[in-house]
Amino acid sequence: DPGADASLCGMAATGASGTNAVRYGTMRPNVLNLRVVLPDGRLLHTAGPGRQPRKRAAGYDLTSLFVGSEGTLGFLTQATLRLHPLPEATAATIATFPSVGAAVACTVQVLQAAVPVARIEFLDEVMADACCRFSGMGLPVAATLLLELHGSRHSLAEQQQQTQEIVRQNGGSSLAWAEGQEEREQLWSMRHNAWYAALALRPGCQGYSTDVCVPISRLPDVVVETKKDLQASGLTAPMVGHVGDGNFHCIIILNSQDPEEVQRVHAFTQRLGRRALAAGGTCTGEHGVGLGKRALLQEELGQEGLDTLRSIKAALDPHNLMNPGKVL
């Protein structure tokens, strides 16, 4: 379920996910084979030419190696993807909450209750307001969850009842369920335009997206701490995320010509990454390490892990031609 202007090979290269990740997985388990142009010009099919088994145990897992490699090991030019059947019935809704903590706590409880939710997306009140204004939808300015359930018509009714009860227990106000395709597409188009909605908060400024991923049990604490940090930092940075798998983003809208603001953004992103690491999570759930999180990668993996990554990079790209300086 790529958003904005994402491409499939681009999503594979950054190990991205999407709104369906909580039920159907991120890019990694959904890529069966990749065609890669190696730095020396050779063509590699990571699972073998034309092969697309659902599982394999033949040699090292080269497909997983290149998923998330951020263009540092080769060009991804073709992806063979796993397909999932369309559900018999689908229902989506929007629930609003008195605080970000309540919204994320509701997410955790939905997952712990084993409700087979397909999508569960979080918007803080800043992001909800921006999305509503950008899309023209009249919704409350409040911490918000967008939920979608997939299943048979019989099972869907039970899932809706479970979800509504958990929303109510967390002080949420649940709106009517949308089951028609047009209604659901309108709801999700609002979420998919979150990047552009955030940019519209400060016309003429630039967007900088950063994300982390933490264990579900630690998600409420980390989100609440991050919200307080953002307010103290004075940054315009709406929060949005695939919270069903513990992943959330801060879309920071900044004036890149203001050195003081740029420094505040850098300091915040480093604190955010270290907050996730302290909670047993990762400094990046889907956007990759790039340039900005190289120091955090060493803290996350340790020297032995970093040395192993460098050995792989040196073996495949001895002349450092591919995205030099990124990740390592």
Side-chain angles (χ1 to χ4, degrees):
D1 178 30
D5 58 351
S7 67
L8 291 174
C9 283
M11 289 183 71
T14 56
S17 54
T19 60
N20 277 304
V22 63
R23 171 108 181 225
Y24 301 103
T26 65
M27 284 300 290
R28 191 174 299 280
N30 283 295
V31 177
L32 301 177
N33 202 346
L34 287 169
R35 185 177 68 189
V36 182
V37 180
L38 295 172
D40 60 7
R42 290 180 298 158
L43 197 62
L44 167 69
H45 296 265
T46 56
R51 306 199 183 282
Q52 48 196 3
R54 290 180 64 87
K55 63 178 182 179
R56 59 189 298 277
Y60 299 135
D61 188 349
L62 296 178
T63 303
S64 288
L65 174 63
F66 281 91
V67 173
S69 61
E70 299 185 55
T72 61
L73 302 178
F75 291 112
L76 310 189
T77 61
Q78 186 182 82
T80 303
L81 304 177
R82 184 189 304 273
L83 297 181
H84 298 270
L86 292 173
E88 177 189 354
T90 302
T93 192
I94 298 175
T96 57
F97 295 84
S99 67
V100 295
V104 180
C106 179
T107 299
V108 174
Q109 291 171 31
V110 166
L111 296 172
Q112 289 176 338
V115 178
V117 62
R119 309 189 198 193
I120 184 163
E121 293 286 305
F122 164 72
L123 312 174
D124 75 348
E125 72 282 0
V126 181
M127 188 78 262
D129 183 36
C131 285
C132 291
R133 282 192 280 163
F134 190 80
S135 66
M137 292 182 68
L139 296 173
V141 178
T144 300
L145 290 181
L146 286 70
L147 300 104
E148 186 168 283
L149 305 173
H150 295 176
S152 68
R153 297 195 183 282
H154 174 73
S155 67
L156 206 62
E158 184 179 351
Q159 292 175 36
Q160 286 173 291
Q161 186 176 358
Q162 276 185 286
T163 303
Q164 286 171 182
E165 177 61 22
I166 296 171
V167 167
R168 186 191 62 79
Q169 290 171 358
N170 286 278
S173 173
S174 182
L175 305 183
W177 291 91
E179 298 189 14
Q181 183 173 348
E182 187 175 338
E183 291 177 281
R184 289 187 287 105
E185 286 180 351
Q186 183 182 18
L187 186 155
W188 288 110
S189 69
M190 178 187 73
R191 166 63 181 88
H192 288 314
N193 287 323
W195 173 258
Y196 306 113
L199 289 175
L201 291 173
R202 291 183 70 184
C205 290
Q206 290 73 47
Y208 181 94
S209 180
T210 187
D211 81 299
V212 294
C213 190
V214 298
I216 292 293
S217 61
R218 297 298 309 276
L219 186 63
D221 292 340
V222 173
V223 168
V224 169
E225 289 169 18
T226 300
K227 183 69 176 175
K228 292 177 180 176
D229 192 355
L230 281 172
Q231 292 170 336
S233 301
L235 297 172
T236 302
M239 297 171 66
V240 59
H242 316 309
V243 285
D245 54 8
N247 184 207
F248 70 93
H249 312 256
C250 297
I251 304 177
I252 305 170
I253 312 301
L254 75 154
N255 177 4
S256 60
Q257 304 305 308
D258 181 345
E260 188 274 335
E261 186 174 3
V262 170
Q263 179 55 40
R264 276 190 290 133
V265 169
H266 175 73
F268 167 76
T269 58
Q270 296 299 300
R271 289 195 302 273
L272 174 61
R274 292 190 171 99
R275 185 177 301 122
L277 294 180
T282 176
C283 67
T284 173
E286 62 167 330
H287 287 306
V289 174
L291 296 170
K293 295 185 176 180
R294 289 180 299 180
L296 294 171
L297 179 65
Q298 178 158 3
E299 294 175 29
E300 182 170 331
L301 295 182
Q303 192 59 49
E304 294 77 9
L306 207 60
D307 289 345
T308 302
L309 292 185
R310 287 188 172 126
S311 296
I312 295 170
K313 168 72 168 170
L316 293 175
D317 184 18
H319 300 296
N320 199 26
L321 301 175
M322 309 299 294
N323 263 356
K326 290 287 181 72
V327 184
L328 301 171

